[in-house]
Amino acid sequence: EAGVAQSPRYKIIEKRQSVAFWCNPISGHATLYWYQQILGQGPKLLIQFQNNGVVDDSQLPKDRFSAERLKGVDSTLKIQPAKLEDSAVYLCASSLDMRGNTEAFFGQGTRLTVV
Amino acid sequence: AQSVTQLGSHVSVSEGALVLLRCNYSSSVPPYLFWYVQYPNQGLQLLLKYTTGATLVKGINGFEAEFKKSETSFHLTKPSAHMSDAAEYFCAVIRSYTGNQFYFGTGTSLTVIP
């Protein structure tokens, strides 16, 4: 079974530029998550989708971050404009559904460096 | 209040020694508890989880954890550390019975000394 795929693996941009990350979840997984992991910290949930609808985006900085999952499969996370404090690893995860005991599977992440 | 707290951001053990990584959770969250491991430049991999049933949970790579409701703890243990266990370990909870949103602790970095 293929895992969660993310691209790119690494990205370096200058502040105020824009950047986009792509995620392809495990086939058949209805729930998709984007997490931000700052160095030395645990992952923080940015947004959660159930199929193509947003379940939770309470911690997404909506003035600069946006995410979509138009067809309920792949997802894109965008930052525009980027700030230095956005330097982090962005992890995509998926789970079969939203039941509270369902494991989430994580991709390898995209490491973003903003200079 | 924090949903999950990991005590000790760095733990060092000798190869062959007992590994104990501590995790306490808020009693206000459902009893859905997870341990994930993260190797350098990798995503998170599930080690084990507790949802219902037996309170002693066995996971991959010889790890296990015990759900103790009275202590609101879910500590991770392994009887004998191996060099390959060196990694970052995260305890996670789900804060509601619906929604399946994972909330992670700050992590514990495990170093294994040869």
Side-chain angles (χ1 to χ4, degrees), chain B residues 71-104:
Chain B
E71 299 177 7
T72 60
S73 69
F74 191 58
H75 302 330
L76 182 70
T77 61
K78 182 174 180 177
S80 177
H82 192 272
M83 295 298 295
S84 61
D85 294 327
E88 190 84 15
Y89 292 80
F90 293 95
C91 183
V93 301
I94 293 179
R95 278 171 47 177
S96 68
Y97 285 94
T98 59
N100 211 43
Q101 291 110 6
F102 288 77
Y103 287 85
F104 290 85

Side-chain angles (χ1 to χ4, degrees), chain A residues 45-112:
Chain A
L45 179 68
L46 291 176
I47 189 167
Q48 178 189 8
F49 292 95
Q50 178 69 5
N51 297 311
N52 61 353
V54 176
V55 175
D56 184 351
D57 63 357
S58 57
Q59 298 190 92
L60 186 74
K62 298 180 186 64
D63 58 334
R64 297 184 301 107
F65 286 65
S66 64
E68 59 184 14
R69 194 185 184 199
L70 293 176
K71 296 182 179 180
V73 181
D74 294 4
S75 178
T76 303
L77 176 69
K78 297 179 181 177
I79 307 175
Q80 181 180 8
K83 293 185 175 181
L84 295 177
E85 59 260 36
D86 298 332
S87 294
V89 175
Y90 290 84
L91 295 165
C92 180
S94 69
S95 63
L96 192 59
D97 52 41
M98 290 203 306
R99 287 175 297 170
N101 57 357
T102 306
E103 174 187 353
F105 295 82
F106 285 79
Q108 291 187 302
T110 296
R111 182 177 298 277
L112 173 67

Side-chain angles (χ1 to χ4, degrees), chain A residues 12 23 32 40 52 76 93 114:
Chain A
I12 301 174
C23 173
L32 184 146
N52 61 353
T76 303
V114 183

Side-chain angles (χ1 to χ4, degrees), chain A residues 2-17:
Chain A
V4 176
Q6 290 188 247
S7 66
R9 285 295 312 276
Y10 305 93
K11 190 75 176 177
I12 301 174
I13 62 172
E14 295 182 350
K15 59 183 179 183
R16 291 186 290 273
Q17 285 187 322

